[in-house]
Each structure stands twice: as structure tokens, then as C-alpha cells.
Amino acid sequence: GQQVMQIPQYQHVQEGEDFTTYCNSSTTLSNIQWYKQRPGGHPVFLIQLVKSGEVKKQKRLTFQFGEAKKNSSLHITATQTTDVGTYFCAVNSNYQLIWGAGTKLIIKP
Amino acid sequence: DSGVTQTPKHLITATGQRVTLRCSPRSGDLSVYWYQQSLDQGLQFLIQYYNGEERAKGNILERFSAQQFPDLHSELNLSSLELGDSALYFCASSPGTLNTEAFFGQGTRLTVV
């Protein structure tokens, strides 16, 4: 069945540094969604990408969908403490969302 | 507030017991999804219902069952509980089944002692 690989599992950054998480699939995706889960919270939808090569921005967050629609990335510029949490990608397949394992953003003290 | 309501928020029970978790989806959403999240782990998809019918099944144990009622609320039943069933259980809803975002409830934290 459909699988999506998400890396890295953790990323430790200094506040102000950038953060990137990647999702990869062996098959072409119809779309990809990104969610954020704050510590102790529930996943919250951030964005959905549908078109090949699509790039969308939300303030300091930049989302990209690969030209082949097999990979996607989320980049955060100049991280802040409010960015702490786990970022998940998810793809639609057979009436369900298939989730990446998540990348945990940790701000170094 | 996502509009998805889960009850109870916390549940502590003993091994071997049975519990029922309840989810009310957002108004108008026909799909309900159940997920299990163990400590610091990813989301494990359990099961999905669409308009009262089971639509997709994930890694759901035979001891677990779920249903969606005519008013679209859903219940997840966990029986013969084991220590390893301790986890956060999320319900999510979406308007349809494809290409739509999922709205998550606050989750039910289940502790089996």
C-alpha cells in the first residue's frame, strides 16, 4: 500500500535558524497535506498542495510539491519558540490519509 | 476549536476492562477517522467511517471496534485492555473522503493500569 517516508525524525535548531522536513513517496501523489502538532495538542491542518511544482507560503513557512509529485518539503525560516512541535505530512490514498512519521522541531536552549 | 468533540478527555482503567470513546464530528462532516498515538510516536490509523459505513481499516486490533451512528457521531470500543493500549486516541472528521483536510478533536488520553 501507499507509504510516505518523512525525514528527519528530529531536528534540533537554535532559535533563529531554519528548519526543513521532507516527505517522499515512491508513487505519484494526487496531493499532500501538512499538519502541525504542538506538544500536548492535536494535529492542526496547515496546507494542502495539489499541483506539480507548487510552492505556497504562510509567513515564515514555505511548502513545496515536487515536479514529479512524489516529494514535498516544509521549510521554516528563522524559527521561533512558537514553531516547536511535530510536523506531519499526509497523503490521500484509498479513502484514508496516510501519514508520515513526523519531524519533531526542537529549539535548543 | 476544530469543532470535533471527543469525550472523555482522560480515562484511567484497569487491564482487562472495556472502555468506549466518543466522537462528535464537525457539523456537516460525513467522514470520521480514529487514530492512536502512543507517547512521542506518529499517528496510527485505526479505522474510518463515511456516512455510517466502514470505509477503510488500518492497524486496528480485533479487541477494538468502532461504529458510526445515524447522527454521524462515532464510538470506539476498546476491550480486554492491556498496558500497551495506553495512548492518546484521536478522532478526526472531514467533509468527504478524498482530498479534504481532516479536523482533529482534542483526543482522549487512555491510561491502562
Side-chain angles (χ1 to χ4, degrees), chain A:
Chain A
Q2 175 73 57
Q3 287 190 333
V4 58
M5 301 299 296
Q6 186 172 1
I7 56 170
Q9 189 176 0
Y10 300 93
Q11 191 166 0
H12 295 76
V13 300
Q14 297 278 4
E15 188 174 1
E17 290 182 339
D18 293 356
F19 162 89
T20 306
T21 174
Y22 301 90
C23 281
N24 297 289
S25 167
S26 58
T27 60
T28 303
L29 303 170
S30 58
N31 62 70
I32 190 162
Q33 299 177 2
W34 286 94
Y35 291 77
K36 176 184 178 181
Q37 184 177 20
R38 293 180 187 272
H42 59 279
V44 174
F45 175 81
L46 294 176
I47 208 161
Q48 175 168 278
L49 305 174
V50 179
K51 298 177 184 175
S52 168
E54 190 169 16
V55 178
K56 286 189 176 180
K57 292 191 176 187
Q58 291 179 352
K59 296 183 181 177
R60 293 177 295 104
L61 277 60
T62 301
F63 303 86
Q64 291 190 319
F65 203 7
E67 293 290 341
K69 298 181 72 174
K70 289 184 176 182
N71 58 75
S72 181
S73 65
L74 158 58
H75 180 83
I76 302 178
T77 303
T79 54
Q80 299 176 359
T81 55
T82 52
D83 296 324
V84 162
T86 302
Y87 294 83
F88 293 96
C89 62
V91 301
N92 286 113
S93 177
N94 292 332
Y95 304 108
Q96 60 177 289
L97 278 174
I98 308 298
W99 293 77
T103 297
K104 196 169 187 176
L105 169 58
I106 299 164
I107 304 278
K108 297 176 189 175

Side-chain angles (χ1 to χ4, degrees), chain B residues 6-26:
Chain B
Q6 286 188 250
T7 56
K9 285 189 170 47
H10 302 276
L11 198 48
I12 301 175
T13 190
T15 54
Q17 295 298 304
R18 172 190 168 95
V19 297
T20 297
L21 312 184
R22 182 187 168 100
C23 170
S24 293
R26 287 191 327 154

Side-chain angles (χ1 to χ4, degrees), chain B residues 10-91:
Chain B
H10 302 276
L11 198 48
I12 301 175
T13 190
T15 54
Q17 295 298 304
R18 172 190 168 95
V19 297
T20 297
L21 312 184
R22 182 187 168 100
C23 170
S24 293
R26 287 191 327 154
S27 176
D29 283 358
L30 299 179
S31 279
V32 169
Y33 310 78
W34 286 98
Y35 292 92
Q36 180 193 56
Q37 187 175 44
S38 301
L39 189 63
D40 275 349
Q41 298 295 311
L43 290 159
Q44 295 296 319
F45 170 68
L46 297 178
I47 198 163
Q48 182 207 354
Y49 284 85
Y50 177 75
N51 203 20
E53 293 188 1
E54 183 183 303
R55 184 56 66 97
K57 218 168 187 175
N59 298 321
I60 187 166
L61 300 173
E62 285 190 11
R63 300 183 285 109
F64 297 180
S65 64
Q67 55 184 327
Q68 186 179 28
F69 295 86
D71 67 353
L72 300 178
H73 91 271
S74 179
E75 293 180 356
L76 178 66
N77 300 296
L78 313 176
S79 62
S80 302
L81 285 166
E82 302 175 357
L83 295 177
D85 297 327
S86 296
L88 200 49
Y89 290 85
F90 285 110
C91 166

